Amino acid sequence: MKNYKFILSGGGTGGHIYPAIAIADALKEKYPQAEFLFVGSQDRMEMEKVPNAGYKIEGLWIAGIQRKLTWSNLMFPFKLISSLFKSAKIIRRFKPDVVIGTGGFASGPLLEMATRYNVPTLIQEQNSFAGITNKLLAKKVQKICVAYDGMQQFFPQEKIVKTGNPVRQDLIFIDQNREAGLAKYALKPQKKTLLILGGSLGARAINKLIDHELQFILDQNVQVVWQSGQLYFEEYKNHSETEHVQVLPFIDTMNLAYAAADIIISRAGAGSVSELALVGKPVIFIPSPNVAEDHQTKNAEAIVEKDAAILLKENALEDCFEETFKQLIEDEDRQKVLGTNFKKIALPQATQQIVNEVEKLLKQ
């Protein structure tokens, strides 16, 4: 068997990095002798996360364009040219069999140069509203793996394969872990458990909401597991002194936290949405309005359209949260409908299906 070589590029946020790592892990399992190289933005989180996962990474001098005039914007043309030259150098030296992009600024110049050198290329779009990098690459790459229906509005129909987003396989059977989850977080089985997720760094709007509404939530006979994020932990950790409340900077056993939860409040990043579909619990999405093209709102809307979740926008929290939460916590039938409908959307074999598409490119 040939020792294949793969380059993967995706970064800037965990939503681009972790799918790339999941794909690499699955390819490594299939081809143990294969060589892997990641390419990211030299000053972003992938430069730490990828080596921690056991892979080599090289950084490009690239960043996105800000919405206002900044020095970084003025430097963008120089960064782009530099990144294109370095990408070409990497491709000539490493000689990949396939290049895979999962979004983020670095994947743009890398996949652009890969197509110029006639290297088979695949992109994976996590969101229901395609990112600008993947939209620009769509005409040049061979295959586009997506997680939502209707993506032909962004990409050529003949290149699209609906695979879903790579997710942790330990979430598929979380129902078997409910007792372990309750024990891990010392939760009372007779109370409903609310799990609050704002991402690994945290979400200011969600944290402020919970800080303000915590007593109201507790009054509904609810106990709280609250991932505040590293950035906000010091500000909110004192709430752990309240009975039935646990504030954590980061949850490292998400499968157990999901298993213990009855209701979840979450951002609507693509990775979170895909995980939560596997989990199949009632979710209130509070999407971040500050991400590119407002794609979190669009992700949440795509789920709400299937009657599989509830969407609350940040600017409506003050007026709508209490009524929405109280209605949901009191209506177990509604909880079951949302959870069941959400689970129908799940695509648990996404990573393997993406690997199958990569294999087709290897055979071309």
Side-chain angles (χ1 to χ4, degrees):
M1 182 185 291
K2 179 182 176 182
N3 289 346
Y4 291 115
K5 293 184 175 184
F6 301 100
I7 295 181
L8 299 98
S9 183
T13 68
H16 295 312
I17 298 166
Y18 296 121
I21 292 173
I23 294 166
D25 287 345
L27 285 168
K28 191 174 185 178
E29 187 174 337
K30 181 83 174 180
Y31 303 107
Q33 304 304 315
E35 292 183 53
F36 294 87
L37 177 65
F38 279 69
V39 175
S41 300
Q42 64 185 21
D43 59 348
R44 301 301 292 269
M45 63 188 290
E46 57 264 31
M47 303 306 291
E48 175 189 353
K49 300 297 184 184
V50 169
N52 287 348
Y55 296 101
K56 296 178 181 176
I57 186 168
E58 295 195 32
L60 304 179
W61 186 41
I62 190 69
I65 298 176
Q66 307 300 313
R67 295 180 181 178
K68 54 187 178 182
L69 184 62
T70 64
W71 177 250
S72 178
N73 280 354
L74 295 175
M75 294 298 292
F76 179 78
F78 303 101
K79 291 181 179 181
L80 179 59
I81 292 168
S82 167
S83 296
L84 288 167
F85 274 109
K86 187 170 183 181
S87 294
K89 186 177 178 181
I90 290 170
I91 290 165
R92 290 197 302 268
R93 184 188 75 239
F94 191 75
K95 296 183 173 60
D97 294 287
V98 177
V99 173
I100 301 159
T102 58
F105 307 123
S107 66
L110 182 79
L111 271 82
E112 171 66 30
M113 298 314 295
T115 60
R116 294 189 191 183
Y117 282 95
N118 296 314
V119 179
T121 49
L122 175 150
I123 56 177
Q124 195 258 329
E125 173 57 61
Q126 299 97 35
N127 293 293
S128 63
F129 192 89
I132 187 169
T133 300
N134 283 347
K135 283 192 284 188
L136 291 171
L137 292 168
K139 291 183 180 179
K140 299 182 179 183
V141 302
Q142 276 74 48
K143 195 66 66 175
I144 304 169
C145 296
V146 303
Y148 292 88
D149 295 322
M151 297 305 286
Q152 63 272 14
Q153 62 179 309
F154 307 110
F155 304 133
Q157 177 70 56
E158 68 276 9
K159 296 183 180 183
I160 295 174
V161 181
K162 186 182 178 185
T163 59
N165 289 324
V167 291
R168 290 173 287 195
Q169 296 302 291
D170 62 0
L171 301 180
I172 295 176
F173 303 109
I174 65 153
D175 289 343
Q176 301 172 10
N177 295 323
R178 182 165 176 83
E179 287 189 13
L182 292 171
K184 166 71 177 177
Y185 295 101
L187 297 165
K188 296 184 180 302
Q190 66 269 28
K191 294 174 87 62
K192 293 284 188 181
T193 299
L194 171 65
L195 175 63
I196 300 152
L197 304 171
S200 58
L201 294 178
R204 176 173 290 280
I206 291 178
N207 284 330
K208 288 178 69 175
L209 171 73
I210 303 306
D211 179 52
H212 183 258
E213 299 287 358
L214 188 57
Q215 190 56 55
F216 168 80
I217 292 169
L218 295 174
D219 289 344
Q220 313 308 309
N221 194 30
V222 171
Q223 56 199 340
V224 174
V225 179
W226 175 3
Q227 181 182 269
S228 64
Q230 298 283 3
L231 290 177
Y232 303 103
F233 180 63
E234 290 299 319
E235 187 175 352
Y236 297 107
K237 67 180 182 181
N238 63 298
H239 287 301
S240 286
E241 299 171 10
T242 303
E243 190 178 11
H244 307 309
V245 179
Q246 298 175 58
V247 184
L248 305 167
F250 184 74
I251 296 175
D252 56 6
T253 51
M254 280 305 308
N255 60 325
L256 297 181
Y258 282 137
D262 295 289
I263 291 177
I264 299 167
I265 292 175
S266 176
R267 286 302 202 193
S272 297
V273 172
S274 296
E275 284 192 0
L276 290 165
L278 275 183
V279 169
K281 301 284 179 79
V283 177
I284 298 174
F285 282 121
I286 303 175
S288 170
N290 303 314
V291 294
E293 286 120 356
D294 198 21
H295 68 244
Q296 285 202 12
T297 299
K298 296 179 176 68
N299 291 346
E301 287 172 345
I303 306 304
V304 172
E305 284 173 5
K306 293 177 166 50
D307 195 26
I310 293 169
L311 167 62
L312 286 180
K313 295 189 177 182
E314 282 192 4
N315 60 11
L317 291 176
E318 188 174 335
D319 295 330
C320 300
F321 175 77
E322 290 191 3
E323 181 180 357
T324 300
F325 185 79
K326 188 174 178 62
Q327 286 179 351
L328 181 60
I329 203 73
E330 292 177 351
D331 190 343
E332 294 204 357
D333 290 338
R334 181 68 178 143
Q335 293 171 32
K336 288 176 184 176
V337 167
L338 292 174
T340 300
N341 288 347
F342 207 167
K343 199 145 195 169
K344 290 176 183 176
I345 299 169
L347 297 167
Q349 301 305 316
T351 311
Q352 186 53 53
Q353 289 190 34
I354 294 167
V355 168
N356 292 345
E357 295 303 321
V358 173
E359 287 188 285
K360 292 176 186 177
L361 295 179
L362 290 172
K363 294 173 182 176
Q364 286 183 1

